[in-house]
Amino acid sequence: MKKTYLMILIAIIGATLLGWFGESLALLTSRPTYALTFFTVCSIGLFLASWLGLVARVSKGAAGIERITVMTIIPLGVITSLYAVFVTAMYWG
């Protein structure tokens, strides 16, 4: 039970880091536009997967901290994803 929640938290942290620092990571590659697109898609995918995993756990009757996490991941995921999509759109021109 705690192991799954820890994996979801790691996915949330990884998605946030990819969303905010994907541009810096992409500049280290030979094709930054494609790398940034990949990082953006991975970030959004991790947010969606972690949110769906938490919703499934809450629907089974999870603890209070998991309910709080479900509610905080929504604004964090939306803001990070919008920023990552905006930066990717600027790279594509």
Side-chain angles (χ1 to χ4, degrees):
M1 191 103 166
K2 291 185 184 264
K3 193 175 195 179
T4 307
Y5 185 66
L6 181 65
M7 289 177 61
I8 290 173
L9 284 179
I10 290 172
I12 294 169
I13 292 168
T16 305
L17 291 176
L18 274 179
W20 287 108
F21 300 114
E23 182 181 6
S24 300
L25 292 172
L27 291 175
L28 299 174
T29 63
S30 61
R31 295 186 177 208
T33 306
Y34 296 111
L36 182 60
T37 303
F38 175 74
F39 293 148
T40 300
V41 170
C42 286
S43 174
I44 293 170
L46 282 172
F47 271 122
L48 286 175
S50 60
W51 185 75
L52 289 174
L54 281 171
V55 166
R57 288 175 60 100
V58 167
S59 67
K60 292 180 182 177
I65 189 72
E66 292 174 356
R67 292 179 191 271
I68 294 170
T69 308
V70 168
M71 296 309 293
T72 58
I73 196 175
I74 293 171
L76 177 68
V78 168
I79 291 169
T80 302
S81 297
L82 286 176
Y83 172 76
V85 168
F86 176 76
V87 170
T88 303
M90 290 294 117
Y91 261 79
W92 279 101

